[in-house]
């Protein structure tokens, strides 16, 4: 139940920010939407509310036309920079099978980017119908089978989308009471996916650029939409992923099979590059860890090592 504030007509409610536009933060609470403004000292404390924040706000029951006031932001479970959203539980990692062509490298980059924030990924393979049309059933089934087997072995779920209502319905069974983000490079079908799942949202889509083999960025604002028991965040597409905070010693935690194998390494500090007695390299050489996964681990490791240090200015 809402708590009464000092003014008898003002109550304190709890909810989640689902949209931020022009300084207003729109909060879902008890099935209703409230337009709120943050209290003044938020700026002095350098606290900026984000979509996904769990908040408390004051609401004047005697004046429904007045703006409510944000008074508290709960501690965040995590926070993404691109897109700017907090408290993310799961990610729908969207990658196309064709146009643009499937890439193990790019998929692993996205998986690492969400694992680094303790976000559980669900892999979505789009445009299976187009793959069938262009490559034929034998080649299409072989590619999907190879991808599904590799990532299922690691522990990830894979859902194949072919543009039919049945495939979107299958995806819907995986959406639970949690906050989901949609991630993937431009042109893989994120906006099309949301239009199927949330027809009332009318997310803008655009055609693939033949010259660049990628789509234009079409989504402008981060917004949470209700779907079944969960919340879906419509997020801008991007193809450049930066590991600005992930340390090389932490990278293994973003590869479940490498983390598991590391328990048998000779040295606890093993980075699985050239160290003696490395169980990860032994499993890779034996074919128990996929070639693409280990090579992508090495590539991301090198990228982190070569990252330029960030020096923060003192106030």
């Amino acid at each position: 139940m809402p708590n009464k504030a000092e003014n008898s007509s003002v109550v304190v409610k709890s909810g989640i920010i689902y949209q931020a536009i022009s300084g207003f933060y729109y909060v879902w609470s008890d099935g209703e939407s409230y337009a709120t403004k943050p209290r003044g000292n938020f700026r002095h404390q350098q606290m900026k509310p984000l979509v996904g924040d769990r908040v408390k706000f004051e609401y004047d029951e005697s004046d429904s036309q007045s703006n409510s006031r944000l008074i508290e932001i709960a501690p965040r479970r995590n926070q993404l920079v691109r897109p700017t959203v907090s408290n993310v539980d799961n990610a729908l990692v969207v990658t196309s099978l064709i146009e643009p062509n499937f890439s193990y490298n790019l998929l692993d980059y996205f998986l690492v980017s969400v694992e680094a924030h303790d976000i559980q990924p669900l892999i979505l393979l789009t445009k299976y119908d187009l793959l069938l049309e262009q490559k034929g059933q034998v080649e299409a089934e072989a590619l999907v089978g190879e991808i599904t087997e590799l990532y299922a072995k690691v522990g990830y779920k894979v859902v194949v989308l072919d543009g039919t209502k049945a495939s979107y319905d299958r995806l819907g069974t995986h959406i639970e009471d949690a906050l989901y983000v949609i991630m993937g490079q431009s042109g893989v079908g994120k906006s099309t996916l949301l239009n199927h799942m949330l027809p009332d949202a009318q997310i803008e889509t655009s055609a693939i650029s033949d010259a660049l083999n990628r789509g234009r960025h079409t989504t402008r604002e981060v917004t949470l939409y209700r779907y079944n028991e969960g919340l879906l965040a419509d997020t801008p597409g991007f193809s450049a992923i930066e590991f600005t905070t992930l340390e090389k010693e932490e990278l293994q935690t973003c590869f479940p099979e490498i983390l598991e194998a590391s328990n048998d390494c000779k040295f606890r500090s093993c980075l699985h590059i050239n160290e003696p007695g490395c169980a990860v390299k032994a499993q890779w050489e034996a074919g128990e860890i996929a070639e693409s996964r280990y090579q992508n681990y090495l590539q991301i490791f090198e990228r982190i090592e070569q990252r330029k240090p960030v020096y923060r200015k003192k106030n």
Side-chain angles (χ1 to χ4, degrees):
M1 293 291 291
N3 296 321
K4 290 286 184 179
E6 291 182 4
N7 184 333
S8 60
S9 65
V10 175
V11 296
V12 176
K13 292 176 171 284
S14 299
I16 183 172
I17 297 176
Y18 71 90
Q19 192 173 60
I21 300 177
S22 302
F24 284 90
Y25 297 91
Y26 295 85
V27 179
W28 267 323
S29 177
D30 299 324
E32 300 288 338
S33 175
Y34 298 85
T36 70
K37 281 273 194 176
R39 64 183 185 182
N41 64 348
F42 274 30
R43 180 178 299 178
H44 299 299
Q45 296 174 359
Q46 296 184 326
M47 294 175 59
K48 180 177 173 60
L50 299 176
V51 170
D53 277 345
R54 300 286 177 174
V55 298
K56 288 185 179 180
F57 63 97
E58 293 179 342
Y59 172 68
D60 191 342
E61 293 181 311
S62 66
D63 185 6
S64 60
Q65 300 303 312
S66 66
N67 293 321
S68 301
R69 189 171 70 127
L70 283 180
I71 59 173
E72 184 180 326
I73 300 174
R76 292 167 181 153
R77 178 174 178 269
N78 53 36
Q79 176 183 335
L80 299 182
V81 176
R82 291 190 307 168
T84 306
V85 60
S86 67
N87 299 317
V88 178
D89 301 298
N90 300 74
L92 303 181
V93 181
V94 186
T95 182
S96 59
L97 291 162
I98 195 168
E99 294 186 8
N101 293 332
F102 177 80
S103 166
Y104 284 104
N105 179 265
L106 188 57
L107 176 55
D108 283 345
Y109 268 61
F110 275 104
L111 292 177
V112 170
S113 72
V114 299
E115 288 277 12
H117 291 87
D118 193 27
I119 297 170
Q120 178 64 40
L122 172 63
I123 300 170
L124 306 185
L125 302 178
T126 63
K127 305 186 184 181
Y128 182 66
D129 50 328
L130 188 59
L131 181 68
L132 276 174
E133 179 184 317
Q134 295 193 18
K135 301 295 184 179
Q137 185 170 352
V138 173
E139 190 171 338
E141 288 183 353
L143 176 60
V144 170
E146 178 184 285
I147 297 168
T148 302
E149 181 180 2
L150 189 158
Y151 288 99
K153 183 179 178 182
V154 176
Y156 294 131
K157 294 180 180 178
V158 179
V159 177
V160 180
L161 300 176
D162 59 8
T164 64
K165 182 179 182 299
S167 67
Y168 290 112
D169 288 344
R170 284 196 299 273
L171 170 59
T173 64
H174 293 276
I175 307 299
E176 302 171 342
D177 182 11
L179 196 161
Y180 294 76
V181 292
I182 312 287
M183 304 186 77
Q185 73 176 128
S186 297
V188 296
K190 299 186 301 298
S191 294
T192 300
L193 167 65
L194 274 173
N195 276 331
H196 277 278
M197 299 178 75
L198 306 166
D200 295 335
Q202 294 297 306
I203 310 300
E204 180 189 1
T205 59
S206 64
I208 299 293
S209 166
D210 292 332
L212 297 176
N213 194 30
R214 67 181 65 175
R216 291 177 293 137
H217 301 302
T218 57
T219 307
R220 294 291 177 259
E221 298 287 346
V222 180
T223 301
L224 298 183
Y225 297 95
R226 291 191 179 279
Y227 186 85
N228 292 346
E229 297 299 317
L231 293 170
L232 287 178
D234 173 34
T235 58
F238 58 92
S239 55
I241 304 172
E242 300 296 335
F243 303 107
T244 55
T245 59
L246 184 64
E247 299 300 332
K248 61 184 181 181
E249 294 82 5
E250 301 170 327
L251 179 59
Q252 64 180 347
T253 66
C254 300
F255 286 80
E257 72 276 41
I258 291 179
L259 179 63
E260 182 178 357
S262 70
N263 292 324
D264 296 323
C265 287
K266 182 177 181 180
F267 300 105
R268 184 173 297 179
S269 60
C270 185
L271 297 175
H272 324 304
I273 310 297
N274 296 310
E275 298 89 341
C278 176
V280 171
K281 289 195 67 175
Q283 287 197 19
W284 162 62
E285 290 169 352
E288 296 174 15
I289 290 178
E291 175 75 16
S292 62
R293 292 281 290 172
Y294 182 66
Q295 294 303 325
N296 289 335
Y297 169 84
L298 294 180
Q299 187 179 111
I300 297 172
F301 186 93
E302 183 179 3
R303 185 167 174 172
I304 293 173
E305 266 203 323
Q306 295 177 351
R307 182 177 62 202
K308 293 181 179 180
V310 177
Y311 299 103
R312 300 186 183 279
K313 293 181 179 180
K314 293 183 178 180
N315 293 329

